[in-house]
Amino acid sequence: MYFKSILVKYGEIGIKGKNRYLFEDALMDNIRFALQGIDAPFEVTKESGRILVTFEGTYDYEEAVSRLTKVFGIVHISPVVVLEDKSFDAIARTVGDYMEEYYGKPDFTFKVICKRADKHFPKTSMEAAADLGEYLLDRFDGLRVDVHKPEVGVHVEIRNCVYIYSVDIPGPGGMPVGTNGRATLLLSGGIDSPVAGYMIAKRGVKIDAVYFHAPPYTSERAKQKVVDLARIVSRYAGPIRLHVINFTEIQLAIYDKCPHEELTIIMRRYMMRIAQSIALDEKSMGLITGESIGQVASQTMQSLMATNAVCTLPVYRPLIGFDKNDIVDVSQKIGTYETSIEPFEDCCTIFVAKHPVTKPNVHAIERSEHHLADVIDEMVKRALDTQEIIECS
Ligand code: ATP
Ligand code: MG
C-alpha cells in the first residue's frame, strides 16, 4: 500500500517544557538529514506533539523507514493516511478502505482508538470510536472487537486533518542529536569505540572523532576502516568530523625512551592529551572512549586512573560496566560489528609489550614520560598541525 505520509512520535523530548521547540526543531533537522538523497521530494512538518513526513509521489518506503528508525529521539513511526475531509462518513469510508488495502481480508481482533483534538468535531472520542468500530464490523466479517488486548489498534486522530494508522514501528529512542552539546570520541577500528560513540550520541550529544594512525605500521586500509565505522555511526549520530592524527613519531619516541611495560599506558596518555586539545578547539565538552573495566591491561582501575590523570575534560566511558558479549550485541544491532572485525591492525597492536604493567603508578609513569621532555612538545604540535580532517556522513 502506498503511504504518502509517515507519522513520527517522540518521547522524552515531549517533557522538556520551554525547551521543547528546540528539541522538536533539532529532531526535524535530523530527520531531514537522514532522508537526504531519498528518491522523492519530501516535507517535514510539526503538528501538536507529532512530526509528519510527507512525500511527493512514489518513493522507496522501506528505505525511508529504515533511515527514520535510526534517528535518535524517535520512539515510533507509523505509516499514516491523512484525510482532510472531517465528516464522519468520509472518515468511516477511509478507515474501511485503509483496512482493506493494508490487510486484504482483515481477520483479527481490533479496537478503534480515537483522539478528538478538534473540538468542533460533533462526536466525542468515545462515540467516534464506537461508531467507527461498528462500521468496520459491518464491513468486514473477519473482524472481532477486543477492547483489552486487540491484535490491531486502529488509531484515528481528528486534528487539523484526520490521521489514520494501525502500525507502530519502533524507533531508537534517545534524544535528538545536537540537543545536548558536543563530545569527542576516540575512535579506533575496534568493536568498542563505535558502540561508545553510538551510546553517547543517543543521549543527544553531537560527536566529533579522533583516530590515531601510525603509518607505515598501520595501513591505509586500517584508516579506511575507521572512516567506514564513522560513516556507519553517522547514520545515527549525524555527520561526524574525523580528525586523523599521525601518531607514528610519538609512538616511536615512546618506544625508544620509555620502559616497554609502560608503553601502552604512556601512549594512551598522549592519545588523551591530543584528543583533549582537539576537543577544546572544537568547543567539545568531553571525551568518549570504549573502555570497560578489566577488559585489557590498559583498562584496569589503576590503568584507567593513570590515563584519566592527564584529562581535565570529563571522560565518558559508556561501556565501563559492559561485558564484551554485551558490547558485541550492540555492535551487531547497530551494524558496526562486521566492519570492526575486518582484520586490519591498529596502532596499539604493533607496539604492545609482552608484559604490560597492569597496576601502573601515576608517579612512576610521570617519571618515565620525563625521558620524552626534550622532544614531545614539538612532536605533539606537529601531530596536531598535520592532522587530516575527514567529514564522515
Ligand atoms: P576498541 O575495540 O574500541 O578499539 P579496545 O578494546 O581495542 O577498544 P584499547 O585499544 O585499549 O581497547 O582502547 C581503548 C579505547 O581507546 C578505545 O575504545 C578507543 O576509545 C581508544 N583508542 C584506542 N586506540 C585508538 C586509536 N588508534 N585511535 C583512537 N582511539 C583509540
Ligand atoms: Mg582497539
Side-chain angles (χ1 to χ4, degrees), residues 188-190 346 348:
S188 70
D346 68 25
C348 318

Side-chain angles (χ1 to χ4, degrees), residues 186-188 190-193 210 212 268 289-290 295 298-299 348:
L186 283 87
L187 181 62
S188 70
I191 295 172
D192 306 329
S193 44
V210 183
F212 295 91
R268 299 212 30 78
T289 74
Q295 197 188 72
S298 60
Q299 295 173 30
C348 318

Side-chain angles (χ1 to χ4, degrees), residues 27-281:
L27 183 55
M28 288 168 63
D29 281 348
N30 296 349
I31 288 173
R32 286 188 194 103
F33 176 79
L35 291 176
Q36 244 175 39
I38 204 100
D39 52 348
F42 63 88
E43 205 180 31
V44 181
T45 51
K46 182 157 70 170
E47 207 214 319
S48 46
R50 306 292 169 83
I51 287 169
L52 195 68
V53 185
T54 307
F55 296 88
E56 212 177 281
T58 54
Y59 62 101
D60 186 343
Y61 169 78
E62 301 293 335
E63 175 66 18
V65 168
S66 154
R67 293 195 196 180
L68 288 172
T69 55
K70 296 184 179 67
V71 179
F72 293 134
I74 295 182
V75 174
H76 280 119
I77 61 176
S78 302
V80 65
V81 173
V82 183
L83 177 69
E84 279 179 25
D85 183 346
K86 287 196 262 186
S87 66
F88 180 80
D89 286 351
I91 296 173
R93 209 175 333 105
T94 310
V95 173
D97 293 350
Y98 160 75
M99 295 295 280
E100 189 168 315
E101 201 177 337
Y102 193 75
Y103 294 104
K105 272 198 160 69
D107 183 11
F108 41 71
T109 59
F110 82 109
K111 167 188 179 179
V112 177
I113 301 130
C114 222
K115 266 204 197 101
R116 179 188 61 148
D118 173 5
K119 300 299 175 201
H120 298 301
F121 188 75
K123 294 178 193 284
T124 65
S125 298
M126 293 292 278
E127 288 164 357
D131 292 352
L132 287 170
E134 206 164 304
Y135 171 88
L136 291 175
L137 284 172
D138 278 349
R139 183 160 160 185
F140 301 105
D141 288 341
L143 284 183
R144 293 152 334 264
V145 173
D146 182 342
V147 288
H148 300 296
K149 272 198 160 181
E151 286 164 272
V152 174
V154 182
H155 293 261
V156 179
E157 300 185 359
I158 302 156
R159 302 177 185 274
N160 282 344
C161 294
V162 184
Y163 300 91
I164 300 160
Y165 61 95
S166 65
V167 179
D168 269 342
I169 302 163
M175 305 176 87
V177 169
T179 56
N180 273 327
R182 186 183 267 263
T184 301
L185 168 67
L186 283 87
L187 181 62
S188 70
I191 295 172
D192 306 329
S193 44
V195 172
Y198 167 91
M199 288 176 69
I200 296 296
K202 186 171 178 187
R203 299 310 303 162
V205 179
K206 174 118 182 78
I207 303 280
D208 299 309
V210 183
Y211 167 57
F212 295 91
H213 186 39
Y217 303 97
T218 59
S219 61
E220 270 306 294
R221 196 62 196 75
K223 178 173 118 186
Q224 185 57 42
K225 176 179 164 182
V226 175
V227 172
D228 293 345
L229 285 169
R231 291 219 169 99
I232 300 173
V233 176
S234 81
R235 289 181 206 152
Y236 305 88
I240 294 177
R241 173 173 296 170
L242 175 66
H243 301 256
V244 179
I245 295 285
N246 186 328
F247 203 48
T248 312
E249 188 180 42
I250 294 172
Q251 244 177 337
L252 287 173
I254 299 171
Y255 193 73
D256 235 26
K257 297 178 193 286
C258 302
H260 282 193
E261 64 276 12
E262 293 173 0
L263 285 182
T264 310
I265 290 295
I266 294 175
M267 189 188 78
R268 299 212 30 78
R269 282 162 56 96
Y270 278 101
M271 283 187 181
M272 296 305 254
R273 288 177 173 114
I274 290 171
Q276 177 161 281
S277 157
I278 291 170
L280 292 169
D281 272 357

